[in-house]
Amino acid sequence: MSKYGLSSEQVQQSLREHGNNTLPTPPRESFWQKLLENFQDPIIRILILALLVNVVFVYMGHGDWIETAGIFVAILLATFVSTWSEFNNENAFQKLQEEASRIRCKVWRDGEPVEIAIDDIVVGDAVILEAGDRVPADGVLLEGELKLDQSALNGESEEAKKLPAAAGFAWGEKIDFLAEERVYRGSVVVEGAGVLQVARVGAASVYGQLTQELKEDERESPLKLKLQGLAEQISRFGYTGGVLIAVAVMLHKLFLAGGPAAYFANMTAVLQDLVQAVILAIIIIVMAVPEGLPLMIAIVSSLNMRKMLRDNVLVRKLVGIETAGSLNLLFTDKTGTITKGKLEVVRFITGDKQELTSFEALPEKIKELTYQQVVLNTSAAVSEGKIVGGNMTEAALSRYLGSYRTHEVPQRQHFVPFNSTSKYSWAQVASAKDTYCLVKGAPEKLLLRTGFYWDAEGRRLPLTAGMKQQLDARMLELAGQAMRMLALCSYEGAVDGELPERGLTLVGIVAIRDDVRPEAVEAIAAVQKAGVQVVMITGDRKETAVAIAKDAGLLQHPDEVVWTSDELAQLSDDDVKLLLPRLRVVARALPLDKLRLVRLAQELNLVVGMTGDGVNDSPALKKADVGFAMGSGTEVAKEAGDIVILDDNFLSIKQAILYGRTIYNSICKFIVFQLTINASAVAINFIAPFINIDEPLTITQILWINLVMDTLAALAFGGEPALKQYLEEEPKRRSAPIVSRKMLLSVVIGGLYMTLVGIAFYKSAWVDHLFRDAANHIYTYTGFFCTYIFMAVANGFNVRVEGLNPLKNISLNKAFLQVMALIIAIQVLLTYVGGRVLRTTPLNAGEWGVVVLFSLSMLLVGVLCKLFMGRR
């Protein structure tokens, strides 16, 4: 029977009073809720308005049901594709979270140890904790001694020691991760065993309180803001153009009738003309709206999400990857993201100050003694010559040994574990030849007891005071590089009682560090070059944080700022905003520090990213414009993030930024492509009534141009590759319009040239004579329709590259060639089968030659436009 724990009746009473240990989860959207939300997109709203107007005119007998159906299909496709992609990724993410619900815990119930689900724990339960267990609830330690990894809660990599509470200890409301008797949910037991009395469960625990922060509303993404602005501009352009064209048509009719008196004499004809003018205005408005844009965004996001998954980046929300490309400021965790996330032996210093970087390089005598230190002078379990479990330092030493094993391991006769007073552990061992001791601990304690050292030849030589001073100086240097020191010593002979104060022989000093990932250094440099400010936030002490930041390339200039949590707390919000551009490191950071920094950065209108893996990171992950949760992190952190970095690597964050910029650039290319077509079509239809052109583009031709071609083009631009050059661009300002001056100039020049070509086909006798004669000019009209489509295709090659070579990187997007070839093939086919519906007829070889030459001239216009913009 146990003196701890609850009876079945007490469990039920506690359940009624305090509830169980279930964590509240944010409400999850269904597929249909996501679909409905995507209908709120600004471009989709314009399309819906155009659809409703078209439905009214179809009902009145003045519209085309094919065009109306086409707009309807465009709306459904765009919303369905984006919703389906996001919903599928949410399901994939949910599979990552399922493990949390399967955690089992050992508790005392009715005087017996039983295993129950983590959600069934109640206040008052006595939970049995052992090395490797994750603490399931907040509580007080009643029995035993523990070392905990609390990094998921406070970000500190240093293990926390926990001791039993004094009699009568009251839990209270205070949150103190450093208090020795307090244990919090989310911590991991690294060493020891004990019994925890549960004080807070579920939402009342610190872990649960932090999950409540995830309910905060999100900011709109930079891309969504830019698209809202674009939608407003397109609306004004379309409505203004439609009204002006309607007015122009009526004025043209008035002029042809010979004046107001003659024209208004026949009101029936006036009403018919008015209806036709309004129909034409509606057509122009529909043409001005880029129907393919929402679909293109859905396609490009979906395609890149699949590519990113191969790069260990799981995108939970489309908004996350869109926003990643616009980041101005990235707050990043240290452990496991910039560093490897585990301690490693990086140096071995011998008594004569030789520094070796690998275990294989050690002299044979020193190698054998080091191996014995690891497997015999330890409180961890040893199996087949290898440490099983143990704390982070012992695990690092075990990895350092690699596959090395000795043929004959001495027998351990006596072992004294490490304690905070002596700061060393020691073991007496006996081999076939002699008995000796192995000592391992803090160098500042053990070097005082050493008088000798082992050299490379296995000789025991005197360790002088001068040699000790040199070792002290070198250890001080390495400590400045965030390395922890561990001295390994031996004592020749048996010990009766206490370890002698003198006479130890130094085997070597081991330097251990959570080393910086080599690929993270390269990735940080690339992200900084991309104009993104990177700030490392860590729970480590300032000296360690500074050393890691320097190695990672974050600290390069003397004017860059490093703060501790206390220093940050003493600054006003205005002071923080003033110094924020120079900030590089925040040490000893608390969860509220992260939230405050994200808030202040957003008040400066910056696009902010946050990485994290612990529950302490979750509120900041949620509040940031894009949250990068680590795949090895807590389920709460992953729930809060927009993107999950499956391999915990900063290199993957760099890839996420690259893909985000790729998506943004692909969208911009498509916008230029589509707006050029739409602007020229609106211009041609606006000018047509004034130069006696009856119908330059028929309704069915507009349907092909606006819907079918735009949809295919969305597929073509959606496959654009992620180019490293995108990381050399400056981040786009949050408030900057999506259509830049450069893009607008390209649209104007391209649209103007296509308009002039259209006028030439309809009004130039020279162009007309290049085609066969026909009373209705059907060959010339077919030639113009084909030229218009082919010029759009040529312009697609223009806008996909910034340079003068339209085929640059085309091998990385073969789908672009395939789609454009398909458009050309369909267009040629339409000349044979379109007939009266599309106002087309087959052309001969000479006429096709004219079409091709006019179309290829669009490539020349693109080159000249780029040269002009380059000079500017």
Side-chain angles (χ1 to χ4, degrees):
M1 297 289 287
S2 170
K3 59 182 176 179
Y4 303 123
L6 302 175
S7 65
S8 298
E9 293 77 13
Q10 289 172 322
V11 169
Q12 294 302 316
Q13 178 67 24
S14 179
L15 193 61
R16 286 191 294 270
E17 292 180 6
H18 306 287
N20 66 10
N21 200 33
T22 303
L23 285 174
T25 56
R28 196 169 304 282
E29 288 183 321
S30 68
F31 175 84
W32 301 110
Q33 287 173 321
K34 287 182 180 292
L35 185 66
L36 186 62
E37 185 178 315
N38 283 332
F39 274 103
Q40 305 303 313
D41 183 275
I43 301 293
I44 292 292
R45 286 180 173 181
I46 296 178
L47 281 175
I48 291 173
L49 180 60
L51 174 66
L52 293 176
V53 173
N54 264 22
V55 168
V56 172
F57 275 91
V58 168
Y59 179 77
M60 294 171 60
H62 297 292
D64 192 298
W65 69 268
I66 298 178
E67 182 179 358
T68 305
I71 297 174
F72 179 71
V73 169
I75 294 170
L76 281 187
L77 277 176
T79 51
F80 187 83
V81 168
S82 59
T83 304
W84 185 253
S85 296
E86 193 169 312
F87 186 71
N88 274 352
N89 270 31
E90 280 282 3
N91 286 341
F93 166 76
Q94 199 57 37
K95 291 177 182 177
L96 296 176
Q97 302 290 71
E98 287 177 358
E99 292 182 9
S101 62
R102 296 198 290 266
I103 295 175
R104 309 284 292 180
C105 304
K106 291 179 290 234
V107 301
W108 288 100
R109 292 272 179 95
D110 295 317
E112 299 290 338
V114 296
E115 193 174 78
I116 63 173
I118 187 172
D119 288 351
D120 293 335
I121 288 175
V122 298
V123 171
D125 261 329
V127 181
I128 302 167
L129 295 176
E130 297 173 337
D133 288 346
R134 187 178 291 273
V135 178
D138 294 355
V140 58
L141 193 63
L142 296 178
E143 180 181 285
E145 185 174 322
L146 304 175
K147 283 188 178 179
L148 298 183
D149 175 3
Q150 299 185 134
S151 59
L153 294 166
N154 63 1
E156 293 193 30
S157 58
E158 191 172 340
E159 295 160 5
K161 187 176 182 180
K162 300 295 177 180
L163 299 172
F169 175 82
W171 181 261
E173 299 299 323
K174 182 181 180 182
I175 298 174
D176 186 359
F177 296 121
L178 299 180
E180 289 186 332
E181 65 280 340
R182 292 173 179 266
V183 179
Y184 293 92
R185 179 173 184 162
S187 306
V188 176
V189 181
V190 175
E191 187 179 310
V195 177
L196 169 77
Q197 185 176 57
V198 175
R200 294 285 186 273
V201 293
S205 66
V206 173
Y207 198 97
Q209 290 171 28
L210 287 169
T211 64
Q212 298 304 298
E213 298 284 347
L214 307 187
K215 296 180 179 180
E216 186 175 334
D217 292 335
E218 300 173 356
R219 282 214 300 178
E220 290 186 334
S221 72
L223 181 61
K224 189 171 184 180
L225 286 175
K226 294 177 192 299
L227 289 175
Q228 285 175 349
L230 177 63
E232 292 173 4
Q233 293 170 350
I234 288 173
S235 298
R236 287 196 295 268
F237 174 73
Y239 297 147
T240 303
V243 170
L244 288 176
I245 287 173
V247 172
V249 168
M250 293 303 292
L251 290 176
H252 181 62
K253 297 289 186 182
L254 183 68
F255 175 76
L256 291 177
Y263 184 58
F264 288 107
N266 186 353
M267 289 304 297
T268 302
V270 170
L271 289 175
Q272 289 177 343
D273 289 344
L274 182 60
V275 169
Q276 290 301 316
V278 172
I279 290 173
L280 181 59
I282 295 300
I283 292 171
I284 295 304
I285 292 171
V286 172
M287 287 172 63
V289 177
E291 289 93 336
L293 182 57
L295 178 61
M296 188 270 166
I297 293 173
I299 289 172
V300 72
S301 299
S302 179
L303 289 174
N304 279 281
M305 282 165 70
R306 287 199 290 272
K307 292 177 186 175
M308 291 173 71
L309 196 54
R310 293 196 292 269
D311 282 343
N312 297 306
V313 179
L314 172 65
V315 180
R316 291 189 56 227
K317 302 174 185 176
L318 284 175
V319 66
I321 187 56
E322 293 170 1
T323 309
S326 300
L327 281 183
N328 304 116
L329 177 58
L330 175 64
F331 294 111
T332 179
D333 198 13
K334 172 185 73 71
T335 305
T337 308
I338 293 176
T339 64
K340 295 177 181 177
K342 58 184 180 182
L343 294 177
E344 289 186 347
V345 176
V346 293
R347 293 275 197 289
F348 190 101
I349 309 170
T350 62
D352 53 359
K353 240 186 103 182
Q354 298 296 313
E355 293 193 24
L356 306 167
T357 56
S358 69
F359 181 75
E360 291 76 15
L362 298 184
E364 198 57 39
K365 176 70 175 179
I366 295 176
K367 183 184 292 185
E368 186 172 343
L369 285 171
T370 301
Y371 175 76
Q372 293 175 16
Q373 287 274 10
V374 175
V375 299
L376 296 174
N377 185 9
T378 179
S379 57
V382 179
S383 175
E384 298 179 356
K386 186 178 181 181
I387 294 288
V388 179
N391 60 31
M392 290 186 285
T393 301
E394 288 172 323
L397 289 170
S398 183
R399 286 192 295 270
Y400 180 60
L401 298 178
S403 59
Y404 179 84
R405 300 291 183 272
T406 58
H407 296 294
E408 190 176 334
V409 180
Q411 292 295 314
R412 187 166 79 174
Q413 297 178 329
H414 179 62
F415 173 66
V416 177
F418 179 92
N419 66 74
S420 56
T421 304
S422 65
K423 292 192 176 180
Y424 61 79
S425 65
W426 66 278
Q428 182 168 298
V429 300
S431 68
K433 297 179 181 179
D434 56 0
T435 300
Y436 54 95
C437 296
L438 302 168
V439 191
K440 178 176 67 178
E444 65 270 21
K445 294 286 187 179
L446 295 184
L447 280 179
L448 296 174
R449 299 178 177 226
T450 56
F452 306 91
Y453 75 95
W454 293 105
D455 75 350
E457 305 300 324
R459 295 173 299 187
R460 187 165 172 263
L461 301 178
L463 185 68
T464 65
M467 295 172 73
K468 289 183 182 181
Q469 287 177 354
Q470 289 180 333
L471 286 172
D472 284 336
R474 180 57 180 152
M475 285 192 291
L476 192 61
E477 290 176 14
L478 294 177
Q481 298 174 30
M483 295 187 191
R484 300 177 187 176
M485 305 301 155
L486 189 67
L488 308 179
C489 300
S490 65
Y491 178 75
E492 312 315 304
V495 173
D496 184 17
E498 294 293 323
L499 193 69
E501 292 292 326
R502 296 284 184 272
L504 298 187
T505 304
L506 180 66
V507 177
I509 295 169
V510 177
I512 303 174
R513 188 172 85 156
D514 182 8
D515 217 4
V516 174
R517 292 177 183 256
E519 66 273 23
V521 178
E522 178 187 343
I524 287 171
V527 170
Q528 289 174 326
K529 189 176 180 182
V532 181
Q533 178 185 347
V534 182
V535 177
M536 186 178 79
I537 301 184
T538 176
D540 281 338
R541 59 194 181 95
K542 189 173 185 178
E543 294 79 8
T544 302
V546 167
I548 293 293
K550 286 180 178 177
D551 286 353
L554 289 172
L555 279 172
Q556 299 176 355
H557 304 289
D559 64 335
E560 292 172 335
V561 175
V562 177
W563 287 329
T564 63
S565 178
D566 290 339
E567 290 168 343
L568 176 61
Q570 292 171 12
L571 296 172
S572 68
D573 285 356
D574 289 338
D575 290 336
V576 173
K577 289 179 182 178
L578 187 65
L579 294 171
L580 190 60
R582 290 162 45 202
L583 180 63
R584 295 296 178 270
V585 178
V586 180
R588 293 295 190 195
L590 300 174
L592 290 178
D593 295 332
K594 300 176 183 181
L595 272 174
R596 183 187 180 199
L597 287 168
V598 171
R599 174 178 60 81
L600 295 178
Q602 288 177 337
E603 288 177 7
L604 291 172
N605 209 29
L606 298 175
V607 180
V608 184
M610 169 66 73
T611 76
D613 58 359
V615 66
N616 63 311
D617 298 320
S618 302
L621 284 171
K622 182 72 174 177
K623 186 172 180 59
D625 292 290
V626 55
F628 297 97
M630 299 298 115
S632 65
T634 62
E635 59 273 16
V636 179
K638 286 182 276 190
E639 190 73 52
D642 303 297
I643 295 173
V644 180
I645 305 298
L646 298 176
D647 61 353
D648 294 9
N649 197 332
F650 195 93
L651 182 63
S652 297
I653 298 174
K654 184 203 81 170
Q655 290 299 101
I657 294 172
L658 174 59
Y659 279 113
R661 293 195 175 187
T662 299
I663 289 174
Y664 187 87
N665 277 278
S666 296
I667 291 170
C668 288
K669 291 173 185 178
F670 180 77
I671 288 173
V672 172
F673 171 81
Q674 195 172 46
L675 289 186
T676 302
I677 297 172
N678 293 2
S680 62
V682 170
I684 290 171
N685 278 276
F686 177 75
I687 295 170
F690 297 99
I691 55 176
N692 293 320
I693 299 175
D694 186 28
E695 202 175 15
L697 289 168
T698 67
I699 291 176
T700 49
Q701 287 174 344
I702 291 171
L703 177 65
W704 159 238
I705 293 168
N706 262 23
L707 299 181
V708 182
M709 188 171 178
D710 290 346
T711 303
L712 291 173
L715 289 170
F717 284 100
E720 280 296 282
L723 302 176
K724 291 183 179 179
Q725 68 192 49
Y726 296 150
L727 286 177
E728 298 175 4
E729 300 173 355
E730 285 293 316
K732 304 297 186 293
R733 288 183 295 106
R734 183 180 178 86
S735 58
I738 193 168
V739 179
S740 64
R741 289 184 179 180
K742 191 175 181 180
M743 291 168 62
L744 185 59
L745 188 60
S746 181
V747 169
V748 170
I749 293 175
L752 180 61
Y753 180 73
M754 292 177 73
T755 302
L756 293 175
V757 171
I759 293 172
F761 265 82
Y762 280 99
K763 302 302 293 183
S764 170
W766 174 75
V767 174
D768 191 39
H769 289 154
L770 296 175
F771 294 85
R772 282 170 285 174
D773 289 333
N776 58 358
H777 300 279
I778 186 62
Y779 296 106
T780 305
Y781 292 172
T782 301
F784 165 66
F785 183 36
C786 293
T787 299
Y788 191 81
I789 297 298
F790 290 177
M791 280 196 299
V793 169
N795 195 47
F797 284 89
N798 282 337
V799 301
R800 67 169 294 274
V801 294
E802 289 191 2
L804 302 181
N805 179 10
L807 297 178
K808 187 177 181 181
N809 298 316
I810 196 66
S811 62
L812 301 177
N813 186 10
K814 294 179 181 177
F816 188 90
L817 287 175
Q818 295 165 354
V819 170
M820 292 304 175
L822 179 62
I823 292 174
I824 292 172
I826 294 174
Q827 183 62 30
V828 172
L829 179 63
L830 290 179
T831 62
Y832 290 92
V833 301
R836 293 180 59 187
V837 175
L838 279 166
R839 199 176 66 184
T840 58
T841 190
L843 302 177
N844 61 30
E847 291 164 340
W848 277 118
V850 173
V851 169
V852 170
L853 286 174
F854 268 103
S855 303
L856 290 177
S857 67
M858 191 68 187
L859 293 175
L860 179 61
V861 171
V863 170
L864 294 174
C865 180
K866 289 172 185 176
L867 288 172
F868 172 70
M869 288 189 289
R871 286 200 185 97
R872 293 190 67 188

